[in-house]
Amino acid sequence: MKQHVLVTGGAGYIGSHACKALKAAGYIPVTFDNLVTGWQDSVKYGPFEKGDLTDRHRLDAVFATYTPVAVMHFAALSQVGESTQKPGTYWHNNVCGSLCLIEAAIAAGCMQFVFSSTCATYGDQDDVLLDEDTPQVPTNAYGASKRAIEDMLRNFTDSHGLRHVVFRYFNVAGADPDGEIGEFHRPETHLIPVLLDVVDGRRPALTIYGTDYDTPDGTCIRDYVHVMDLVDAHLLGLQWLEDGKSSRVFNLGSGHGFSVREVVRHSGTVTNRQVHTVDGKRRIGDCAKLVSGSERAMNELGWAPKRSDIRVMISDAWHWHQNGYYGR
Ligand code: UDP
């Protein structure tokens, strides 16, 4: 019999790709999403349950209906800039929502939990490759909220035996190569989709947030990882838990850093179009450089990223941008 997995945020960018991968792997992904930032037309691979993570009664009912073997928890507010303006919203939505979800999962006896955390929990570290043992010193409310949820999970593992895998994502990019789903936020703030809006003329220019960072070209460096590689890791994480292994944290990144200007250059090459940019001020909360050491995921989970080449990520995002994105 097929097993259910509860996917919070399954109507969002990463969650919808996870649902597709779960279905392909023989699971039934049950999307739980409040549709504040997600899209119902991205829920294509299993049942949809509309609800908010802070609604314990709704969660209890969903756990009772499906008796999922695991939770994959993607639902979150995730914009660094916004989190510096509205920290309360981030703490309430991300932290209170996760607490309610964790307690509901434990009450239902669903003791396997995969959690989307972030490299933003590391904060600004001087020119180091960030591995899982790097101290977490977030510089914005988004990163702080995710770190708090990691702490919470550890506490519930100790007290109740909730086994969990935490994935600390670096910058997720790209789209389903089949073109069925992709990244779509409203408003869009992430670098690659904003750049593609500029490339196809929907925005006049990309504002580069800061050109005076202590990096070779003065712009921020990030490690971009393909959403398909990311969801592969989630299936391996689920298998890790199904095999009875203990709670573990894994970074997910490509190990290669690209500056904003380098991403702009690659976007021009991939799309064969001009990209207009304007030099702007730093965005509050941004770090100069975030690059992953992901050896643990490779060595212990057997994770092998296949599409996390920057050109492939931009190309898959561009394909989605042209074919699926504005159909909404
Ligand atoms: N960025 C930028 N202009 C934009 C959007 C992003 O210069 O319109 C920069 C941002 O400052 C960061 C990098 O691109 O250094 C990636 O930002 P994004 O919002 O995509 O992801 P984040 O790193 O904040 O999670």
Side-chain angles (χ1 to χ4, degrees), residues 264-318:
V264 169
R265 246 193 328 275
H266 283 297
S267 300
T269 309
V270 168
T271 61
N272 204 16
R273 301 215 193 153
Q274 183 77 22
V275 188
H276 301 289
T277 64
V278 175
D279 290 353
K281 287 200 293 226
R282 290 184 179 199
R283 184 173 66 178
I284 297 168
D286 273 346
C287 307
K289 182 177 176 186
L290 290 167
V291 182
S292 161
S294 297
E295 282 72 19
R296 183 185 286 182
M298 293 175 193
N299 295 337
E300 297 186 18
L301 287 178
W303 183 53
K306 299 178 193 77
R307 298 188 76 81
S308 293
D309 177 290
I310 191 74
R311 287 156 301 192
V312 175
M313 288 184 275
I314 295 169
S315 169
D316 286 346
W318 180 229

Side-chain angles (χ1 to χ4, degrees), residues 91 95 98-99 102-103 106 111 113 115 146-166 247-249:
W91 279 86
V95 179
S98 296
L99 175 58
I102 290 167
E103 290 186 322
I106 290 170
M111 303 301 266
F113 201 99
F115 174 57
K146 290 285 188 170
R147 189 187 61 176
I149 300 161
E150 289 191 22
D151 288 344
M152 205 190 284
L153 281 169
R154 275 189 286 276
N155 290 163
F156 281 99
T157 294
D158 296 343
S159 62
H160 291 78
L162 177 76
R163 284 181 309 112
H164 63 270
V165 166
V166 167
S247 300
R248 198 80 170 126
V249 176

Side-chain angles (χ1 to χ4, degrees), residues 50-84:
K50 188 169 181 202
D52 196 278
L53 288 177
T54 55
D55 184 345
R56 176 64 191 269
H57 293 298
R58 188 81 188 95
L59 281 170
D60 286 345
V62 170
F63 275 107
T65 303
Y66 298 101
T67 55
V69 289
V71 176
M72 283 194 185
H73 179 30
F74 297 94
L77 295 174
S78 63
Q79 290 177 31
V80 167
E82 183 186 57
S83 81
T84 64

Side-chain angles (χ1 to χ4, degrees), residues 78-81 118-120 140 142 169-172 183 188-195 203 205-210 213 219-224 258-261 263-264 278 280-283 285-288 290:
S78 63
Q79 290 177 31
V80 167
T118 169
C119 62
N140 52 63
Y142 167 58
Y169 307 162
F170 284 66
N171 286 57
V172 188
E183 183 169 16
E188 187 54 79
T189 63
H190 292 107
L191 179 62
I192 292 175
V194 169
L195 258 173
R203 295 183 196 230
L206 173 89
T207 302
I208 297 181
Y209 296 144
Y213 284 97
T219 66
C220 291
I221 293 175
R222 294 287 181 275
D223 175 336
Y224 296 85
F258 292 90
S259 73
V260 176
R261 288 204 198 285
V263 177
V264 169
V278 175
K281 287 200 293 226
R282 290 184 179 199
R283 184 173 66 178
D286 273 346
C287 307
L290 290 167

